[in-house]
């Protein structure tokens, strides 16, 4: 039997990164503020902002750092309440706790996206900010979310860690809210091992975040902009915030930037192949009576590197048996709510003061499966994965029930 492929390895870093890395190793110029200008981190920020079509980008040590700095840059008071979807990675509520704010969780539907009705109910006068986590690249209804938040003047941060290349009505995800945050961790579309970036068009938000990220004294002068007008607005904002803010030192280093920069040219291909791979496997899985891959929302163009699907008509024992049967066939799936200590199951966020009861999100997590599906996989490899999953469901539920 041909075994399904390894889905954990990342793509090799483009060969063109090597010259710059060698230069940095030779000179030891690893700190972003050593060189008088054009440090790799500054160039990455300028290129990333241009790619996203926004005025400002700040590269930092992780997406979690970007989320934390975004909250701090909004100037939220201690104890501010930040509304988030209950289906997200533990780093998101953690960034809120770290910013001395309080996470409030909203229900998520069977399609992994925010339940807008529940979100609207919780978006009351006690909510000071919203983080929309596009978990696993699934975009929630940004039209409804922005309308609700703008009506109440509530700032929106997009956690787009896993959504680089995704579009909503043609607009890039991460550019719809007030701030967008992305990750360069190895499981994300751009990989430098660790790293992140935040984008915004607001000069005061970015100036505050730049200073707090560790641009002490006048290091902010080394940040680059798209236009002279943007640079002017930014310089004025730095004038307002000089010496006013604490330094958290969450900078990115030049080596990481040198690893990311040549990957910007790979984004279009990775998005295209990731979407092809996802949709190919989704079509096959949806032919099984035991598996359902939820539809994307209409305005959404996705950029997936993994697949999520719900098991249909299985009880908890059968769901567990499916996980085992798939593993036996060489495909590792995680059921978010069943794998021990899963960081995406909200009841495991025991660092929170209060873990709410969210039955709808819990039900989803107890039958939603997660499997990696990197862009580099080829169709025959996808066939092996899809076949293993379909057969694993048959192993558990039997062909008889399938045709009954
Ligand atoms: C990976 C991820 C994060 C955290 O990113 P780091 O760079 O590891 O801090 C946050 N949110 C989502 C949705 C993610 O996928």
């Amino acid at each position: 039997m041909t075994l399904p492929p390894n889905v954990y390895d990342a793509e090799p870093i483009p060969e063109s990164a090597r010259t710059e890395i060698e230069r940095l190793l030779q000179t030891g110029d690893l700190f972003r503020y050593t060189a008088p200008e054009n440090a790799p981190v500054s160039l990455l920020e300028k290129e990333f902002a241009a790619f996203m079509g926004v005025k400002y980008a700040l590269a930092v040590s992780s997406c979690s750092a970007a989320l934390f700095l975004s909250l701090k840059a909004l100037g939220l008071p201690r104890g501010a309440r930040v509304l988030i979807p209950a289906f997200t990675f533990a780093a998101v509520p953690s960034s809120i706790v770290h910013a001395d704010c309080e996470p409030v969780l909203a229900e998520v539907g069977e399609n992994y996206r925010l339940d807008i009705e529940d979100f609207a109910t919780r978006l009351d006068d006690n909510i000071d900010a919203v983080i929309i986590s596009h978990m696993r690249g699934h975009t929630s209804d940004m039209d409804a979310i922005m309308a609700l938040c703008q009506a109440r003047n509530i700032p929106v941060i997009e956690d787009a860690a896993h959504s680089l290349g995704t579009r909503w009505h043609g607009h890039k995800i991460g550019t719809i809210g007030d701030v967008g945050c992305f990750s360069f961790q190895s499981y994300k579309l751009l990989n430098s091992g660790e790293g992140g970036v935040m984008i915004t068009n607001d000069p005061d938000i970015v100036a505050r975040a730049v200073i707090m990220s560790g641009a002490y004294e006048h290091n902010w002068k080394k940040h680059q902009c798209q236009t002279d007008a943007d640079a002017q607005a930014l310089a004025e904002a730095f004038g307002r915030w000089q010496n006013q803010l604490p330094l958290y030192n969450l900078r990115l280093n030049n080596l990481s930037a040198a690893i990311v920069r040549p990957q910007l040219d790979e984004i279009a291909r990775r998005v295209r192949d990731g979407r092809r791979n996802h949709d190919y496997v989704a079509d096959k899985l949806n032919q099984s009576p035991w598996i359902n891959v939820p539809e994307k929302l209409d305005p959404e163009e996705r950029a997936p590197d993994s697949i999520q699907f719900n098991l249909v008509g299985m009880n908890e024992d059968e769901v567990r048996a499916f996980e085992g049967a798939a593993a036996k066939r060489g495909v590792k799936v995680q059921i978010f709510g069943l794998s021990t200590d899963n960081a995406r199951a909200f009841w495991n966020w025991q660092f929170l003061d209060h873990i709410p009861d969210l039955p709808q999100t819990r039900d989803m997590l107890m039958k939603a499966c997660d499997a990696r599906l990197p862009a580099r996989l080829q169709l025959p490899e996808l066939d092996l994965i899809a076949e293993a999953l379909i057969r694993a469901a048959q192993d558990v539920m039997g062909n008889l029930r399938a045709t009954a």
Side-chain angles (χ1 to χ4, degrees), residues 85-87 106-116 118 140 294 310 360-365 367-368:
F87 176 44
E107 288 269 28
V108 167
E110 284 213 321
N111 66 354
Y112 320 126
R113 292 157 175 89
L114 257 177
D115 178 325
I116 296 296
D118 188 70
S140 289
N310 296 325
Q360 186 180 311
T361 307
R362 180 182 288 267
D363 282 355
M364 179 276 283
L365 291 167
K367 59 183 197 322

Side-chain angles (χ1 to χ4, degrees), residues 62-64 67 88-89 91-92 133-135 159 161-162 183-185 188 194-195:
S62 67
C63 181
S64 302
L67 291 168
T88 183
F89 187 52
V92 175
S133 191
H134 304 293
M135 188 54 177
D159 168 18
H162 227 139
S183 174
F184 303 146
Q185 187 263 346
K188 313 300 160 91
E194 300 281 2

Side-chain angles (χ1 to χ4, degrees), residues 223-257:
H223 285 254
Q224 302 191 5
C225 290
Q226 313 295 312
T227 70
D228 289 349
D230 296 343
Q232 179 64 30
L234 186 60
E236 286 168 15
F238 280 121
R240 287 190 282 277
W241 299 110
Q242 182 78 54
N243 299 343
Q244 302 296 311
L245 299 164
L247 307 173
Y248 295 104
N249 286 9
L250 298 165
R251 296 171 298 250
L252 192 70
N253 74 66
N254 280 338
L255 264 185
S256 301

Side-chain angles (χ1 to χ4, degrees), residues 98-233:
H98 190 34
D100 285 324
C101 300
E102 190 194 325
V104 179
L105 311 187
E107 288 269 28
V108 167
E110 284 213 321
N111 66 354
Y112 320 126
R113 292 157 175 89
L114 257 177
D115 178 325
I116 296 296
E117 238 174 83
D118 188 70
F119 176 80
T121 309
R122 291 174 201 266
L123 193 76
D124 58 21
D125 291 340
N126 296 317
I127 297 295
D128 300 283
V130 161
I131 298 180
I132 300 300
S133 191
H134 304 293
M135 188 54 177
R136 287 290 187 270
H138 299 286
T139 313
S140 289
D141 182 346
M142 290 306 288
D143 297 345
I145 290 164
M146 293 311 292
L148 286 163
C149 291
Q150 279 164 358
R152 290 177 169 269
N153 223 355
I154 295 173
V156 176
I157 299 167
E158 285 184 84
D159 168 18
H162 227 139
S163 293
L164 183 58
T166 304
R167 287 171 185 265
W168 177 259
H169 289 298
H171 299 292
K172 290 188 165 129
I173 282 298
T175 65
I176 297 171
D178 299 86
V179 189
C181 298
F182 297 86
S183 174
F184 303 146
Q185 187 263 346
S186 290
Y187 287 160
K188 313 300 160 91
L189 200 123
L190 295 173
N191 165 25
S192 64
E194 300 281 2
V197 60
M198 57 180 276
I199 58 171
T200 183
N201 286 316
D202 184 319
D204 282 286
I205 289 178
V206 78
R208 289 171 60 90
V210 165
I211 292 172
M212 288 188 277
S213 77
Y216 56 92
E217 297 165 355
H218 294 155
N219 277 315
W220 50 261
K221 290 183 179 162
K222 294 176 180 172
H223 285 254
Q224 302 191 5
C225 290
Q226 313 295 312
T227 70
D228 289 349
D230 296 343
Q232 179 64 30

